Amino acid sequence: MRLLGSIVLLLVVGSALAYKTYSGYQVLKTAPLTPNVMPYINKMSRIYDFWGTPVVGRPATVMVSPEEASVVNSVLNRLRISHEVMIEDLAPIVEQDFAEQERLMRAIPRQPRVAVYNRYMTFDEIDAHIHETVDANPGVASLLDLGLSTEGRELHGIKLSNGAAGQPAVWFDCAIHAREWIAPPVCLRIIDEVLADPALRDLADWYVLPIANPDGYSFATTDDRFWRKTRRPNPGSTCVGTDPNRNFDFLWDSAGTYCSETFPGASAFSEPECAGIGNFIAANADSLILYVALHSYGPIILYPFGHTVDPVPNADDLLAAGTASATVIESVGGPTYPVENSAAGLYFTFGASDDYAYGIGAAGYAYTYELPGGGSGGFNPPASAIQRVVDETWPGLKTLVEYTIANPTTPLKK
Ligand code: 0X9
Ligand code: ZN
């Protein structure tokens, strides 16, 4: 009995120590950014871990390790960017988050075919949920199989359709960035709603991929709460992973080092997750009218392109549809989502999924929704916030689909 007790204790301590503690990590918050500092912020973002998209006129937040803190402080000082410590030490926040998640996992078991909105679901749970949902709804739901991740996890989503030929298609993916946990429940809610309402299936074929980066998401669940990238090892480096949202084959840019949180990969589509999504989008370019990537944190709705502030040809349509969606989110009690060109904040990006879907001429409407932050001010809204975010976001996404179907736009080069 005493031996059993020791084993249990060992297991508990072992699991408690399995994750990265973030001891001494700080999060710094700058004053609102001015246009003249943006070239430097762009450069810094290749080295340091900015939380959320740095935008002109708004403060930026950057997470620094104990080793990085003094360098980042002095760089910001030299650039005359005033800043303060927003989080003194991430360790207690990370510890509480893992403890809370463990507690909720025990307290709230998953029921078959029922998405959970009062705790975060694991990758395996969501995969099981997808399979059960497909099996239980023949003729309406079918498996979206985009291949395997680097570590061999299935890239599975759902297609929801009324079965008619020639329907327009809309796409939603969630959690391509591993730590952005508030996104998958929104994808699951889309599935719930479209399953329940045949009228929505008469509007379009819906493709929903709840976890676009399965390896990263699983790693963030067990080992590293703020993991962002994929989990492909980089040759000769201890720094693992590629930023999947810099790995798409549209204006892919090789700049970046292995250890950067925005490392774009060895080549475009080096990541099987990105290739799986990208190839599907290209193969369905004729029917796809809307592409949406759900990220955190904002709130902000971004539309192409990320590499230039020059407006795309149908920028007015992109702005109008995004604004219609944002208005609804606000009207149901959600936050105000500004709707902006991705590069308008002068934070330039290459190889992002939304720019790919738009840039290859597939979806005339393409967006990144940065869902609200929370918890420490970032990627970890408490589980108690999930239901609210899902409730306020879904009406906006429904409006986005209705609007984009009612107001056809011209894709880049279809
Ligand atoms: O930088 C990103 O990949 C996204 N922000 S996040 O904080 N979730 O990492 C924004 C992507 C917006 N789209 C483009 N820049 N094309
Ligand atoms: Zn993201």
Side-chain angles (χ1 to χ4, degrees), residues 291-313:
Y291 171 89
V292 181
L294 288 131
H295 288 242
S296 72
Y297 61 92
I300 190 167
I301 297 173
L302 298 165
Y303 60 87
F305 279 125
H307 66 279
T308 171
V309 291
D310 294 344
V312 293

Side-chain angles (χ1 to χ4, degrees), residues 177 180 228 295-296:
H177 285 145
E180 298 168 7
R228 168 181 168 97
H295 288 242
S296 72

Side-chain angles (χ1 to χ4, degrees), residues 52-53 177 180 228 245-246 295-296 342 349 352 354-355 370:
T53 307
H177 285 145
E180 298 168 7
R228 168 181 168 97
N245 212 29
R246 301 290 180 275
H295 288 242
S296 72
S342 292
T349 55
D354 51 1
D355 289 346
E370 299 276 4

Side-chain angles (χ1 to χ4, degrees), residues 335-364:
T336 304
Y337 278 78
V339 185
E340 289 185 27
N341 155 250
S342 292
L346 302 177
Y347 176 76
F348 299 112
T349 55
F350 299 84
S353 67
D354 51 1
D355 289 346
Y356 174 83
Y358 181 84
I360 66 163

